[in-house]
Amino acid sequence: MEMGNEQMREIDYSHYFWQDEQIRLRALREEDWEDHYYNRFDTPARRLLECAVELPPTFAEAKNFTERFSDFSMTYGRLMFSIEKLNGEYVGGANINSIDEKNGTFSIGIQIDRDHRGRGVGTRAIRILLKYAFFERRLNKFNDSVLEGNEPSAAMMRKLGCVQEGVRRKVIYTNGKYHDLILFGLTKDEFMEKEGLA
């Protein structure tokens, strides 16, 4: 692997925290702007993620996004990661957000590229982020919400062991009508029990 005029040593990932048997989380790279840009054209997926139709994507916005979040600064309230297969193929992005250190709560956002959905990539990425949040950041409760009708995300929450805690009725307006938000939660103890770590 080359970096400028220098040769970089081969990286030994055999004991690396940020991966499992199939995927790896890494920092955003400058070249990731293209994947961010192209994913913005998947309106149904973006509507489920952002609960809105976004304005048309621009190269400038995509480049600014990757530049802003490439250094794990909490300036913008999120720790952003790219998700790749172990062979280095980019498959999506994830982030930890809404971190409340006082109360030990947080949320996670995720988008998997269209060609890689339904293969467990999102579940694997969130599991890694949950381990980090619970065991390294000393956070205690994962809170998330899923837009009504987003069955793949609701199924993923259940697969991770999340409990449906309620419904915020008719709070999101998109596609000409009001939609519910389904609320999910998972405590550290519940995660440990589900993962066989208790």
Side-chain angles (χ1 to χ4, degrees):
M1 185 181 289
E2 289 187 29
M3 293 183 60
N5 295 333
E6 303 170 16
Q7 186 101 9
M8 189 170 147
R9 269 180 23 191
E10 181 95 16
I11 297 172
D12 177 4
Y13 287 108
S14 60
H15 301 286
Y16 192 52
F17 176 87
W18 296 101
Q19 70 178 30
D20 68 7
E21 304 79 31
Q22 294 185 21
I23 64 152
R24 180 177 299 127
L25 302 185
R26 63 164 172 78
L28 272 68
R29 296 184 187 137
E30 185 178 329
E31 64 268 20
D32 290 340
W33 77 267
E34 290 184 46
D35 293 299
H36 176 73
Y37 176 77
Y38 288 113
N39 277 324
R40 294 283 304 275
F41 287 92
D42 188 351
T43 300
R46 296 296 296 179
R47 186 194 302 270
L48 292 175
L49 180 66
E50 297 295 335
C51 298
V53 170
E54 298 164 312
L55 293 174
T58 66
F59 289 165
E61 182 277 329
K63 289 177 180 179
N64 183 41
F65 177 87
T66 53
E67 184 179 306
R68 227 180 22 216
F69 290 109
S70 63
D71 66 356
F72 292 115
S73 165
M74 283 299 292
T75 304
Y76 300 101
R78 291 187 254 180
L79 293 173
M80 297 293 299
F81 300 83
S82 289
I83 307 166
E84 63 183 18
K85 291 183 177 180
L86 297 186
N87 66 6
E89 180 185 2
Y90 180 95
V91 296
N95 69 77
I96 298 178
N97 62 74
S98 306
I99 296 173
D100 179 341
E101 301 282 357
K102 176 185 176 291
N103 295 304
T105 60
F106 66 100
S107 189
I108 293 174
I110 191 161
Q111 181 172 355
I112 305 302
D113 288 4
R114 183 181 302 156
D115 296 341
H116 300 282
R117 291 183 197 141
R119 299 179 186 167
V121 171
T123 303
R124 289 176 171 282
I126 290 179
R127 189 173 284 120
I128 293 168
L129 293 176
L130 289 172
K131 286 179 185 176
Y132 173 69
F134 289 141
F135 302 133
E136 303 303 322
R137 294 293 297 259
R138 204 179 297 147
L139 299 173
N140 187 57
K141 175 81 184 303
F142 167 55
N143 293 313
D144 214 350
S145 60
V146 173
L147 187 65
E148 166 189 10
N150 187 352
E151 280 310 310
S153 289
M156 180 174 61
M157 290 294 115
R158 291 184 192 97
K159 185 175 181 180
L160 287 162
C162 296
V163 175
Q164 183 174 325
E165 297 182 331
V167 176
R168 294 188 67 209
R169 298 176 304 122
K170 309 298 179 201
V171 293
I172 300 296
Y173 185 81
T174 186
N175 204 21
K177 64 179 191 172
Y178 288 95
H179 300 268
D180 297 345
L181 276 180
I182 315 302
L183 308 178
F184 288 95
L186 179 70
T187 66
K188 178 182 177 182
D189 289 343
E190 291 166 340
F191 178 73
M192 289 176 67
E193 183 176 336
K194 173 80 173 163
E195 296 292 311
L197 303 170

